[in-house]
Amino acid sequence: MSAALWPITARIVTALNTANGTGEHETAMRLMKVMEEAGEATAAYIGMTGQNPRKGTTHTRDDVADELCDVIIAATVALHAFTTTPPAALDAKLNAAAQRLHEAEPWPTPADAYATAPDITREIAWTAAIARTLMDKPSGDDADRDYWLRKAAVLDRIALDYEADGVHHHTADIAAAAARQLIAIDYGGDPYWPEHPAMLTHPRGYVRQEYARWAKNQ
């Protein structure tokens, strides 16, 4: 998910609140905006397929994608009116959707995954030192992989601390990005390979799985 989604939609919400207030009518207008954008996406699809013989083909796949992005933005803006923590609400929905795929819960708990992990401060120092070393003299794939794994793990742990306090912090987005970087350099990861749907909805879970395996073999 784009790291820009929540900061930018929050700015849109602030601008709308300033201009239009936050009453029931305004909330209804934001919900209807979602439907308006969905209608435009449908119209673009009809134009792409040339369903209307009088008009012919008027849109492209990129046009449909653009309109669908507008639907996402409008829905995200409207979501702010119904929860004080929109990112957490969406994450919960995505996790519920993953569960409906009828797959067993793949990820170890953070407590299990990081049971033997060094202190966070120590891990931050280690990753910073290794980052400098890798910049000066790139090493083998295994060393690079250890760096990305431990970096993703420590960022996940920092984000978990914020989440435990009920705070939405940008570290969560940074941790997810580091997790995706780890996924990108991995070819496997049985039983949940990088292309698996659960991987896409919860990349930080993959980090916990791989860190637990790595720690077990140290």
Side-chain angles (χ1 to χ4, degrees):
M1 185 175 296
S2 171
L5 177 65
W6 298 114
I8 291 177
T9 53
R11 287 170 57 192
I12 294 172
V13 169
T14 299
L16 289 173
N17 290 349
T18 300
N20 303 331
T22 58
E24 291 185 3
H25 177 73
E26 176 62 16
T27 298
M29 291 300 99
R30 295 181 196 182
L31 282 172
M32 284 189 272
K33 182 65 176 177
V34 179
M35 300 305 297
E36 178 191 10
E37 297 295 353
E40 291 181 7
T42 302
Y45 181 77
I46 291 171
M48 184 194 80
T49 60
Q51 181 69 22
N52 186 331
R54 182 174 61 83
K55 294 183 177 180
T57 301
T58 57
H59 291 73
T60 66
R61 296 179 68 87
D62 286 345
D63 292 328
V64 179
D66 185 69
E67 295 295 347
L68 287 172
C69 288
D70 284 342
V71 175
I72 293 170
I73 293 170
T76 305
V77 168
L79 181 61
H80 281 74
F82 297 93
T83 174
T84 57
T85 55
L90 180 57
D91 285 348
K93 191 66 176 180
L94 288 171
N95 289 332
Q99 289 298 314
R100 288 196 295 271
L101 294 172
H102 303 294
E103 297 290 350
E105 175 59 44
W107 318 124
T109 65
D112 288 340
Y114 304 128
T116 61
D119 177 80
I120 286 179
T121 303
R122 179 179 166 189
E123 279 295 87
I124 292 173
W126 182 89
T127 54
I130 296 301
R132 288 191 295 269
T133 300
L134 292 177
M135 288 178 61
D136 294 338
K137 185 178 180 182
S139 54
D141 291 342
D142 288 344
D144 289 350
R145 205 266 181 177
D146 282 357
Y147 164 73
W148 282 108
L149 173 61
R150 291 177 68 175
K151 176 180 178 179
V154 74
L155 286 168
D156 181 42
R157 292 167 65 194
I158 294 170
L160 284 167
D161 283 346
Y162 279 111
E163 290 164 358
D165 293 335
V167 177
H168 178 70
H169 192 265
H170 69 275
T171 304
D173 296 327
I174 298 173
R180 293 187 185 98
Q181 177 66 36
L182 176 66
I183 292 168
I185 66 173
D186 278 0
Y187 296 99
D190 179 62
Y192 285 83
W193 55 95
E195 295 80 9
H196 193 281
M199 188 76 63
L200 301 178
T201 60
H202 195 19
R204 286 165 55 192
Y206 179 77
V207 173
R208 295 167 201 165
Q209 171 184 271
E210 295 304 299
Y211 189 90
R213 289 181 175 181
W214 174 85
K216 185 177 180 180
N217 294 320
Q218 296 308 300

